[in-house]
Amino acid sequence: MCNAAAGSADSALPPAPAPPLGSFKASAHQLLRPVDGDDDTAAATGHVLHLSKVAGEARAIGRVSVPMAVTGLVMYSRALISMLFLGRLGELALAGGSLALGFANITGYSVLSGLALGMEPICGQAFGARRGKLLALALHRTVLLLLAVALPISLLWVTSTGYLLKLLGQDAGVADAAQTFASYASADLAVLAVLHPLRVYLRSQNLTLPITACSLFSVLLHGPINYLLVDRLGMGVAGVALAVALTDLNLLLSLLCFLAISGAHRDSWVGPTTDCLCGWPALLRLAVPTATAVCLEWWWYELMIVLSGLLPNPRATVASMGILIQATSLVYVFPSSLGQGASTRVSHQLGAGRPAGARRAAGAALSAGAAVGLAAAAFMVSVRAHWGRMFTSDADILRLTAVALPIAGLCELGNCPQTAGCGVLRGSARPASGARINLASFYLVGMPVGVALAFGARLGFAGLWLGLLAAQAACAVWMARAVAATDWDVEVARARELTKPTSNNHHSSECNASTTPATTAASDGIITTVIAVTTDSNAAGCKSTSNNGGYVPISESCGGNDSELEKLEAGLMTSADDDAPTTTTSATSDDSGNGDTDAAVVRESHGSSNNSGAAGTTATEGKEQRRGGPERAPLISVGDGEHDGDGRGGGQV
């Protein structure tokens, strides 16, 4: 629905009702509130208030990151269950399955995961900008993109996995087992082509708890599915691979059932139309660099395994590398979740037109990343004598693992902050910067250092990990520099451009905005400018509501009459702060029959007074409020203190 601000010149906006808490969607919208203290007196409280704002951003990031961390741990347990069943099948099955997983990570899983993350800034910024339908369009386009990419990857896995591994010098029996695993795992690609974008779509709306709950449900079934396929039906390696695909399918179906039952997606959803066949350049400009950044980092660890096979005693070094990667994969759950939370929060702030809020969210994310890095390093060092014993009793493997774990812990000191910084860059739609940093740090710094130390200086296995340490240190420094040098006002402008409405005859729920001549009114020496904004809606017309503080709901369908959605919108209406001066706006409406609705932008500046009479606005000195815009209605009104949209004079969602 497209709601236009309208009101009386003599009355202030009434207080808004409390947001409903009875649904996931209502709880999600609460995360879009500005943190406490964003008012005109903020400058007087100095560093204490600034720290409280940063702490508020950290809490907002945590509300997204903590459920995603739990989800990551749940999915990590799924991988352990798969490895357990492969191990029960014997050494050949374990080697073939492990080799197939490495091949799948390089050629498929990393590509699909990276491409799906390309929609993250679009969805997050659109959600913050209240352009809910863009989330659905981004979802449709990304699913089509991933399906198109998954098809040739599936053909590669089914026809050429074993052949390519044999060309690389792998044992014929191991390569054949890997071919079997990859052939059955290819069914998982079509599922992931829908599942990855769906998770980003939900996370961008702060709907993380359903993802966690559905992931737990699917993983609880993973063990019984493996038992049925591997033990009862005797499918062997093929059964383990097929169980992974079926578990992902269960997760996808459970998420779809949640959406169908809860209707949490209703105000950000539009059915697939021909619109999803256009607008691809913007998506590809984000998806391709994001996929490149993800692949460059994922591939590094696979190359570490290859290089470890060239060292003396290759069986022990390769086995130790596999054990260490299990440890780093477990620890990586936490910085990865932090990066997702940082991306979500920063994109919301930018979409809402709040550069200072985005800057604070970025600072909070990097600080949290440093803290997580310290905890991860302490964990790695503390388990150096015990971690390897969980997997083997071989003395050589245990010795190599114990030597490398402290170095891996030091790597986390750089890995956690740089992962959080990468999330900030994704949230601000700058994945190309992250790709360049990963390329330079891992392959221009880490690779030469690791090879030189491992083979040139004859440090062996430890030299490879010292190369990774150099890569992570360089990546953390460059990532922090990129975040610190960000002009957040420019990023807000870029977000406005990314989420602006487009004129499209096929999609009637997008509203095209055009401005009409402005009128002004004066009060106590303050010039207030009223810009009437005409929005073109569908034939049914956009509902015009009064006393709503200029709120435009995330669902932009015009002419809908969904009672449940209207109840939700009633709880999300914005209003002026009770203690702040108020501004009331009147705007004319075009009754020509085309359903046009006028919104208003209210801006104030000190100067001479003028009275134009047609559309009147009264305002109190020292306040500036925005009630709409020619492009979109912002989430929060703009205060004149920092001009970042953090002022409490606007409504809260």
Side-chain angles (χ1 to χ4, degrees):
M1 302 177 189
C2 299
N3 295 340
S8 167
D10 298 324
S11 62
L13 295 172
L21 298 176
S23 66
F24 282 105
K25 196 64 183 177
S27 299
H29 278 290
Q30 289 184 342
L31 296 180
L32 287 174
R33 294 189 180 188
V35 296
D36 293 339
D38 289 336
D39 55 20
D40 291 332
T41 63
T45 59
H47 294 293
V48 175
L49 179 57
H50 176 71
L51 291 176
S52 70
K53 291 181 178 181
V54 174
E57 293 296 338
R59 289 192 296 270
I61 292 173
R63 293 187 189 105
V64 176
S65 299
V66 172
M68 296 313 300
V70 176
T71 302
L73 293 174
V74 169
M75 301 310 290
Y76 180 81
S77 67
R78 184 193 70 169
L80 290 181
I81 293 173
S82 296
M83 296 302 294
L84 175 63
F85 276 90
L86 282 173
R88 293 178 59 187
L89 292 173
E91 181 179 353
L92 179 63
L94 179 60
S98 300
L99 188 61
L101 285 174
F103 182 82
N105 284 333
I106 292 176
T107 59
Y109 291 144
S110 60
V111 176
L112 294 185
S113 176
L115 289 174
L117 288 176
M119 67 180 281
E120 198 170 39
I122 299 176
C123 289
Q125 292 180 11
F127 184 73
R130 285 297 195 242
R131 301 212 62 83
K133 300 307 178 185
L134 291 182
L135 279 82
L137 287 176
L139 174 64
H140 300 156
R141 291 164 181 161
T142 306
V143 168
L144 290 177
L145 173 63
L146 265 61
L147 287 174
V149 173
L151 179 59
I153 295 175
S154 298
L155 294 176
L156 173 68
W157 287 11
V158 171
T159 61
S160 305
T161 299
Y163 174 74
L164 292 175
L165 291 176
K166 290 175 184 177
L167 285 180
L168 295 174
Q170 298 296 325
D171 179 79
V174 174
D176 290 338
Q179 174 67 69
T180 301
F181 188 98
S183 297
Y184 282 86
S186 62
D188 194 28
L189 292 174
V191 178
L192 292 177
V194 182
L195 181 59
H196 279 321
L198 181 61
R199 285 193 289 203
V200 175
Y201 169 79
L202 294 175
R203 187 173 69 243
S204 298
Q205 302 173 73
N206 298 315
L207 293 172
T208 52
L209 289 178
I211 300 176
T212 302
C214 293
S215 298
L216 180 60
F217 168 75
S218 64
V219 171
L220 287 176
L221 297 178
H222 187 59
I225 291 174
N226 271 280
Y227 175 75
L228 174 64
L229 296 178
V230 178
D231 291 350
R232 304 301 297 177
L233 298 182
M235 294 183 64
V237 172
V240 177
L242 188 57
V244 173
L246 291 176
T247 299
D248 282 335
L249 180 61
N250 286 335
L251 174 54
L252 175 61
L253 294 177
S254 59
L255 284 173
L256 293 176
C257 288
F258 159 76
L259 291 177
I261 295 172
S262 69
H265 66 299
R266 190 175 301 147
D267 58 342
S268 63
W269 178 254
V270 61
T273 66
T274 55
D275 286 352
C276 63
L277 301 178
C278 60
W280 286 79
L283 177 62
L284 292 176
R285 281 194 297 268
L286 296 172
V288 173
T290 303
T292 302
V294 171
C295 290
L296 288 174
E297 190 168 357
W298 281 35
W299 293 351
W300 166 264
Y301 289 94
E302 304 300 332
L303 288 175
M304 289 265 287
I305 296 178
V306 174
L307 291 175
S308 65
L310 302 178
L311 293 170
N313 193 5
R315 290 193 176 185
T317 56
V318 171
S320 179
M321 183 66 73
I323 293 173
L324 288 165
I325 287 180
Q326 290 296 322
T328 58
S329 298
L330 173 62
V331 171
Y332 185 70
V333 166
F334 299 97
S336 174
S337 302
L338 177 60
Q340 293 171 359
S343 175
T344 300
R345 183 62 179 177
V346 168
S347 61
H348 286 174
Q349 297 282 45
L350 292 176
R354 302 175 60 221
R359 181 173 60 251
R360 288 192 295 269
L366 291 180
S367 299
V372 172
L374 288 172
F379 171 78
M380 290 287 207
V381 173
S382 65
V383 301
R384 65 186 183 278
H386 309 287
W387 182 262
R389 300 184 186 278
M390 297 171 56
F391 301 90
T392 184
S393 58
D394 186 277
D396 290 336
I397 297 175
L398 293 177
R399 178 182 56 81
L400 291 172
T401 303
V403 169
L405 265 175
I407 304 175
L410 292 177
C411 291
E412 295 303 320
L413 293 176
N415 183 42
C416 294
Q418 71 92 358
T419 303
C422 191
V424 172
L425 294 183
R426 283 202 314 271
S428 54
R430 291 179 292 163
S433 298
R436 288 193 295 267
I437 291 173
N438 279 355
L439 175 63
S441 58
F442 285 97
Y443 295 90
L444 300 184
V445 175
M447 181 67 70
V449 171
V451 171
L453 294 178
F455 300 98
R458 298 186 183 278
L459 293 180
F461 192 64
L464 292 178
W465 284 94
L466 289 173
L468 177 61
L469 177 60
Q472 295 287 13
C475 190
V477 171
W478 285 332
M479 200 72 72
R481 181 179 178 182
V483 173
T486 300
D487 187 333
W488 294 106
D489 293 309
V490 172
E491 296 306 321
V492 166
R494 293 179 66 242
R496 185 178 297 113
E497 182 68 20
L498 184 64
T499 60
K500 70 180 180 180
T502 57
S503 178
N504 196 324
N505 293 330
H506 298 291
H507 195 308
S508 61
S509 64
E510 292 290 343
C511 301
N512 300 322
S514 60
T515 60
T516 58
T519 61
T520 61
S523 175
D524 296 331
I526 305 169
I527 298 178
T528 303
T529 304
V530 180
I531 304 176
V533 181
T534 302
T535 57
D536 298 331
S537 68
N538 57 9
C542 298
K543 180 182 291 187
S544 176
T545 61
S546 61
N547 296 333
N548 61 0
Y551 169 74
V552 176
I554 192 168
S555 62
E556 296 166 358
S557 59
C558 306
N561 191 25
D562 191 317
S563 60
E564 293 184 4
L565 185 56
E566 290 183 358
K567 290 179 182 178
L568 173 62
E569 292 168 0
L572 299 173
M573 291 299 177
T574 60
S575 66
D577 190 275
D578 292 340
D579 298 328
T582 59
T583 301
T584 60
T585 307
S586 64
T588 60
S589 177
D590 186 0
D591 296 329
S592 59
N594 58 0
D596 292 351
T597 306
D598 295 335
V601 178
V602 181
R603 294 190 179 128
E604 300 173 10
S605 60
H606 294 279
S608 60
S609 60
N610 187 14
N611 190 353
S612 299
T617 301
T618 61
T620 306
E621 183 173 357
K623 294 294 294 179
E624 177 184 16
Q625 297 186 358
R626 180 175 295 173
R627 296 299 187 192
E631 302 284 357
R632 54 178 171 76
L635 177 65
I636 305 296
S637 313
V638 178
D640 62 356
E642 298 177 10
H643 296 280
D644 65 352
D646 293 346
R648 293 180 66 185
Q652 292 184 346
V653 178

Short mmCIF file of all heavy atoms in Angstrom, two decimals, residues 479-522:
data_model
loop_
_atom_site.label_atom_id
_atom_site.label_comp_id
_atom_site.label_asym_id
_atom_site.label_seq_id
_atom_site.Cartn_x
_atom_site.Cartn_y
_atom_site.Cartn_z
N MET A 479 41.30 -4.37 5.07
CA MET A 479 39.86 -4.30 5.25
C MET A 479 39.48 -3.18 6.22
O MET A 479 38.53 -2.42 5.97
CB MET A 479 39.33 -5.64 5.76
CG MET A 479 37.85 -5.87 5.54
SD MET A 479 37.43 -6.17 3.80
CE MET A 479 38.07 -7.82 3.56
N ALA A 480 40.23 -3.06 7.32
CA ALA A 480 39.96 -1.99 8.27
C ALA A 480 40.19 -0.62 7.63
O ALA A 480 39.44 0.34 7.87
CB ALA A 480 40.85 -2.14 9.50
N ARG A 481 41.21 -0.52 6.79
CA ARG A 481 41.47 0.75 6.11
C ARG A 481 40.33 1.10 5.15
O ARG A 481 39.92 2.26 5.06
CB ARG A 481 42.79 0.65 5.34
CG ARG A 481 43.18 1.91 4.61
CD ARG A 481 44.51 1.74 3.89
NE ARG A 481 44.87 2.94 3.14
CZ ARG A 481 45.96 3.04 2.40
NH1 ARG A 481 46.80 2.02 2.32
NH2 ARG A 481 46.21 4.16 1.74
N ALA A 482 39.82 0.09 4.44
CA ALA A 482 38.71 0.34 3.50
C ALA A 482 37.47 0.81 4.24
O ALA A 482 36.75 1.72 3.78
CB ALA A 482 38.41 -0.92 2.70
N VAL A 483 37.19 0.21 5.39
CA VAL A 483 36.01 0.62 6.16
C VAL A 483 36.20 2.01 6.74
O VAL A 483 35.29 2.84 6.71
CB VAL A 483 35.72 -0.41 7.28
CG1 VAL A 483 34.61 0.09 8.20
CG2 VAL A 483 35.34 -1.76 6.68
N ALA A 484 37.41 2.29 7.27
CA ALA A 484 37.67 3.59 7.88
C ALA A 484 37.61 4.72 6.86
O ALA A 484 37.24 5.86 7.20
CB ALA A 484 39.03 3.59 8.57
N ALA A 485 37.97 4.45 5.62
CA ALA A 485 37.97 5.49 4.58
C ALA A 485 36.62 5.68 3.92
O ALA A 485 36.50 6.48 2.99
CB ALA A 485 39.02 5.13 3.52
N THR A 486 35.60 4.99 4.39
CA THR A 486 34.28 5.07 3.75
C THR A 486 33.63 6.42 3.98
O THR A 486 33.62 6.94 5.10
CB THR A 486 33.36 3.97 4.31
OG1 THR A 486 33.95 2.68 4.05
CG2 THR A 486 31.99 4.04 3.66
N ASP A 487 33.10 7.02 2.93
CA ASP A 487 32.27 8.22 3.03
C ASP A 487 30.83 7.75 3.11
O ASP A 487 30.22 7.40 2.10
CB ASP A 487 32.49 9.12 1.81
CG ASP A 487 31.77 10.47 1.93
OD1 ASP A 487 30.75 10.53 2.65
OD2 ASP A 487 32.24 11.45 1.33
N TRP A 488 30.27 7.75 4.30
CA TRP A 488 28.95 7.17 4.50
C TRP A 488 27.84 7.99 3.88
O TRP A 488 26.79 7.45 3.53
CB TRP A 488 28.70 6.94 5.99
CG TRP A 488 29.63 5.91 6.56
CD1 TRP A 488 30.70 6.12 7.37
CD2 TRP A 488 29.58 4.50 6.32
NE1 TRP A 488 31.33 4.92 7.65
CE2 TRP A 488 30.66 3.92 7.03
CE3 TRP A 488 28.73 3.67 5.59
CZ2 TRP A 488 30.90 2.55 7.01
CZ3 TRP A 488 28.98 2.31 5.57
CH2 TRP A 488 30.04 1.76 6.29
N ASP A 489 28.04 9.29 3.72
CA ASP A 489 27.05 10.10 3.02
C ASP A 489 26.95 9.67 1.55
O ASP A 489 25.86 9.59 0.98
CB ASP A 489 27.40 11.58 3.10
CG ASP A 489 27.28 12.12 4.51
OD1 ASP A 489 26.22 11.90 5.13
OD2 ASP A 489 28.23 12.73 5.00
N VAL A 490 28.10 9.38 0.97
CA VAL A 490 28.11 8.88 -0.41
C VAL A 490 27.43 7.52 -0.49
O VAL A 490 26.68 7.23 -1.43
CB VAL A 490 29.55 8.80 -0.94
CG1 VAL A 490 29.60 8.10 -2.30
CG2 VAL A 490 30.17 10.19 -1.04
N GLU A 491 27.67 6.67 0.50
CA GLU A 491 27.05 5.35 0.49
C GLU A 491 25.53 5.44 0.62
O GLU A 491 24.80 4.62 0.05
CB GLU A 491 27.63 4.49 1.62
CG GLU A 491 29.12 4.20 1.48
CD GLU A 491 29.47 3.61 0.14
OE1 GLU A 491 28.69 2.78 -0.39
OE2 GLU A 491 30.51 3.99 -0.43
N VAL A 492 25.05 6.42 1.39
CA VAL A 492 23.59 6.62 1.48
C VAL A 492 23.03 7.00 0.12
O VAL A 492 21.97 6.51 -0.30
CB VAL A 492 23.26 7.69 2.53
CG1 VAL A 492 21.81 8.16 2.39
CG2 VAL A 492 23.49 7.16 3.93
N ALA A 493 23.75 7.87 -0.59
CA ALA A 493 23.29 8.25 -1.93
C ALA A 493 23.30 7.05 -2.88
O ALA A 493 22.40 6.88 -3.70
CB ALA A 493 24.18 9.37 -2.48
N ARG A 494 24.33 6.21 -2.76
CA ARG A 494 24.39 5.01 -3.59
C ARG A 494 23.25 4.04 -3.24
O ARG A 494 22.69 3.39 -4.12
CB ARG A 494 25.74 4.31 -3.43
CG ARG A 494 26.91 5.10 -3.98
CD ARG A 494 28.23 4.37 -3.78
NE ARG A 494 28.27 3.15 -4.58
CZ ARG A 494 28.37 1.93 -4.07
NH1 ARG A 494 28.42 1.77 -2.76
NH2 ARG A 494 28.41 0.88 -4.86
N ALA A 495 22.94 3.95 -1.94
CA ALA A 495 21.83 3.09 -1.54
C ALA A 495 20.51 3.60 -2.09
O ALA A 495 19.65 2.82 -2.51
CB ALA A 495 21.77 3.01 -0.01
N ARG A 496 20.34 4.91 -2.09
CA ARG A 496 19.12 5.49 -2.65
C ARG A 496 19.01 5.16 -4.14
O ARG A 496 17.93 4.87 -4.66
CB ARG A 496 19.10 6.99 -2.42
CG ARG A 496 17.82 7.69 -2.87
CD ARG A 496 17.85 9.18 -2.56
NE ARG A 496 17.93 9.40 -1.12
CZ ARG A 496 18.98 9.93 -0.51
NH1 ARG A 496 20.05 10.26 -1.20
NH2 ARG A 496 18.97 10.12 0.80
N GLU A 497 20.14 5.19 -4.82
CA GLU A 497 20.13 4.87 -6.25
C GLU A 497 19.84 3.38 -6.47
O GLU A 497 19.11 3.01 -7.39
CB GLU A 497 21.50 5.22 -6.85
CG GLU A 497 21.62 4.98 -8.35
CD GLU A 497 20.77 5.91 -9.19
OE1 GLU A 497 20.38 6.98 -8.67
OE2 GLU A 497 20.49 5.57 -10.35
N LEU A 498 20.40 2.54 -5.61
CA LEU A 498 20.22 1.09 -5.76
C LEU A 498 18.77 0.67 -5.52
O LEU A 498 18.28 -0.28 -6.14
CB LEU A 498 21.15 0.35 -4.79
CG LEU A 498 21.17 -1.18 -4.88
CD1 LEU A 498 21.70 -1.64 -6.23
CD2 LEU A 498 22.01 -1.76 -3.75
N THR A 499 18.09 1.37 -4.61
CA THR A 499 16.74 0.96 -4.22
C THR A 499 15.66 1.86 -4.78
O THR A 499 14.50 1.75 -4.37
CB THR A 499 16.62 0.96 -2.68
OG1 THR A 499 16.89 2.29 -2.19
CG2 THR A 499 17.61 0.00 -2.07
N LYS A 500 16.00 2.74 -5.70
CA LYS A 500 14.99 3.65 -6.22
C LYS A 500 13.96 2.88 -7.03
O LYS A 500 14.25 1.85 -7.65
CB LYS A 500 15.63 4.73 -7.08
CG LYS A 500 16.19 4.24 -8.41
CD LYS A 500 16.79 5.39 -9.19
CE LYS A 500 17.35 4.91 -10.54
NZ LYS A 500 17.93 6.02 -11.30
N PRO A 501 12.72 3.37 -7.04
CA PRO A 501 11.67 2.69 -7.82
C PRO A 501 11.93 2.85 -9.30
O PRO A 501 12.51 3.82 -9.75
CB PRO A 501 10.40 3.40 -7.39
CG PRO A 501 10.85 4.76 -6.96
CD PRO A 501 12.21 4.56 -6.35
N THR A 502 11.50 1.89 -10.05
CA THR A 502 11.65 1.92 -11.50
C THR A 502 10.29 1.94 -12.15
O THR A 502 9.32 1.37 -11.65
CB THR A 502 12.42 0.69 -11.99
OG1 THR A 502 11.75 -0.49 -11.57
CG2 THR A 502 13.84 0.69 -11.42
N SER A 503 10.20 2.60 -13.27
CA SER A 503 8.95 2.66 -14.03
C SER A 503 8.80 1.38 -14.81
O SER A 503 9.62 1.04 -15.64
CB SER A 503 8.96 3.87 -14.96
OG SER A 503 7.79 3.93 -15.72
N ASN A 504 7.72 0.65 -14.54
CA ASN A 504 7.52 -0.64 -15.20
C ASN A 504 6.03 -0.92 -15.31
O ASN A 504 5.32 -0.95 -14.32
CB ASN A 504 8.21 -1.74 -14.40
CG ASN A 504 8.35 -3.01 -15.22
OD1 ASN A 504 7.48 -3.34 -16.02
ND2 ASN A 504 9.47 -3.72 -15.01
N ASN A 505 5.57 -1.09 -16.48
CA ASN A 505 4.15 -1.33 -16.69
C ASN A 505 3.72 -2.72 -16.23
O ASN A 505 2.55 -2.98 -16.03
CB ASN A 505 3.79 -1.15 -18.17
CG ASN A 505 3.95 0.29 -18.62
OD1 ASN A 505 3.78 1.21 -17.83
ND2 ASN A 505 4.27 0.47 -19.90
N HIS A 506 4.68 -3.64 -16.10
CA HIS A 506 4.31 -5.00 -15.75
C HIS A 506 4.11 -5.15 -14.26
O HIS A 506 3.57 -6.14 -13.81
CB HIS A 506 5.41 -5.97 -16.22
CG HIS A 506 5.60 -5.95 -17.69
ND1 HIS A 506 4.66 -6.43 -18.57
CD2 HIS A 506 6.63 -5.49 -18.45
CE1 HIS A 506 5.11 -6.30 -19.81
NE2 HIS A 506 6.29 -5.73 -19.74
N HIS A 507 4.59 -4.23 -13.48
CA HIS A 507 4.58 -4.40 -12.02
C HIS A 507 3.89 -3.21 -11.40
O HIS A 507 4.46 -2.15 -11.23
CB HIS A 507 6.03 -4.51 -11.49
CG HIS A 507 6.07 -5.04 -10.10
ND1 HIS A 507 5.34 -4.50 -9.08
CD2 HIS A 507 6.76 -6.08 -9.57
CE1 HIS A 507 5.58 -5.16 -7.97
NE2 HIS A 507 6.44 -6.13 -8.23
N SER A 508 2.63 -3.36 -11.08
CA SER A 508 1.82 -2.23 -10.65
C SER A 508 2.08 -1.83 -9.23
O SER A 508 1.59 -0.81 -8.79
CB SER A 508 0.34 -2.58 -10.79
OG SER A 508 0.01 -3.69 -9.97
N SER A 509 2.83 -2.61 -8.46
CA SER A 509 3.01 -2.27 -7.06
C SER A 509 4.18 -1.35 -6.82
O SER A 509 4.41 -0.93 -5.72
CB SER A 509 3.19 -3.52 -6.23
OG SER A 509 4.37 -4.18 -6.62
N GLU A 510 5.00 -1.04 -7.83
CA GLU A 510 6.05 -0.05 -7.68
C GLU A 510 5.47 1.32 -8.00
O GLU A 510 4.78 1.51 -8.99
CB GLU A 510 7.22 -0.35 -8.62
CG GLU A 510 7.99 -1.60 -8.26
CD GLU A 510 8.78 -1.40 -6.98
OE1 GLU A 510 8.99 -0.25 -6.59
OE2 GLU A 510 9.18 -2.41 -6.38
N CYS A 511 5.76 2.29 -7.16
CA CYS A 511 5.20 3.62 -7.30
C CYS A 511 6.25 4.56 -7.87
O CYS A 511 7.33 4.68 -7.34
CB CYS A 511 4.70 4.14 -5.96
SG CYS A 511 3.44 3.10 -5.22
N ASN A 512 5.92 5.22 -8.97
CA ASN A 512 6.84 6.17 -9.56
C ASN A 512 6.56 7.56 -9.00
O ASN A 512 5.42 7.99 -8.93
CB ASN A 512 6.67 6.21 -11.09
CG ASN A 512 6.93 4.85 -11.69
OD1 ASN A 512 7.83 4.15 -11.23
ND2 ASN A 512 6.18 4.47 -12.70
N ALA A 513 7.61 8.22 -8.61
CA ALA A 513 7.45 9.50 -7.94
C ALA A 513 7.84 10.63 -8.87
O ALA A 513 8.80 10.56 -9.60
CB ALA A 513 8.32 9.54 -6.68
N SER A 514 7.08 11.70 -8.81
CA SER A 514 7.42 12.92 -9.53
C SER A 514 7.05 14.09 -8.65
O SER A 514 6.09 14.06 -7.91
CB SER A 514 6.67 13.00 -10.87
OG SER A 514 5.28 12.98 -10.62
N THR A 515 7.83 15.16 -8.74
CA THR A 515 7.62 16.29 -7.86
C THR A 515 6.80 17.36 -8.54
O THR A 515 6.84 17.53 -9.76
CB THR A 515 8.97 16.89 -7.43
OG1 THR A 515 9.67 17.31 -8.60
CG2 THR A 515 9.82 15.84 -6.70
N THR A 516 6.04 18.10 -7.74
CA THR A 516 5.26 19.21 -8.21
C THR A 516 5.74 20.46 -7.51
O THR A 516 6.49 20.38 -6.54
CB THR A 516 3.77 18.98 -7.91
OG1 THR A 516 3.60 18.81 -6.50
CG2 THR A 516 3.26 17.72 -8.60
N PRO A 517 5.34 21.64 -7.97
CA PRO A 517 5.87 22.86 -7.37
C PRO A 517 5.67 22.90 -5.87
O PRO A 517 4.69 22.45 -5.33
CB PRO A 517 5.07 23.96 -8.09
CG PRO A 517 4.70 23.34 -9.39
CD PRO A 517 4.47 21.90 -9.11
N ALA A 518 6.66 23.49 -5.19
CA ALA A 518 6.66 23.54 -3.74
C ALA A 518 5.94 24.78 -3.25
O ALA A 518 5.87 25.80 -3.92
CB ALA A 518 8.10 23.53 -3.23
N THR A 519 5.39 24.67 -2.06
CA THR A 519 4.80 25.82 -1.40
C THR A 519 5.45 25.98 -0.05
O THR A 519 6.02 25.04 0.49
CB THR A 519 3.29 25.61 -1.20
OG1 THR A 519 3.08 24.46 -0.39
CG2 THR A 519 2.58 25.43 -2.53
N THR A 520 5.39 27.13 0.52
CA THR A 520 6.06 27.39 1.78
C THR A 520 5.13 28.10 2.73
O THR A 520 4.18 28.76 2.35
CB THR A 520 7.32 28.26 1.57
OG1 THR A 520 6.92 29.51 1.02
CG2 THR A 520 8.33 27.59 0.65
N ALA A 521 5.43 27.92 4.01
CA ALA A 521 4.74 28.65 5.06
C ALA A 521 5.78 29.04 6.08
O ALA A 521 6.85 28.46 6.15
CB ALA A 521 3.65 27.78 5.69
N ALA A 522 5.49 30.04 6.92
CA ALA A 522 6.48 30.54 7.86
C ALA A 522 5.95 30.46 9.28
O ALA A 522 4.78 30.58 9.53
CB ALA A 522 6.85 31.99 7.53
#
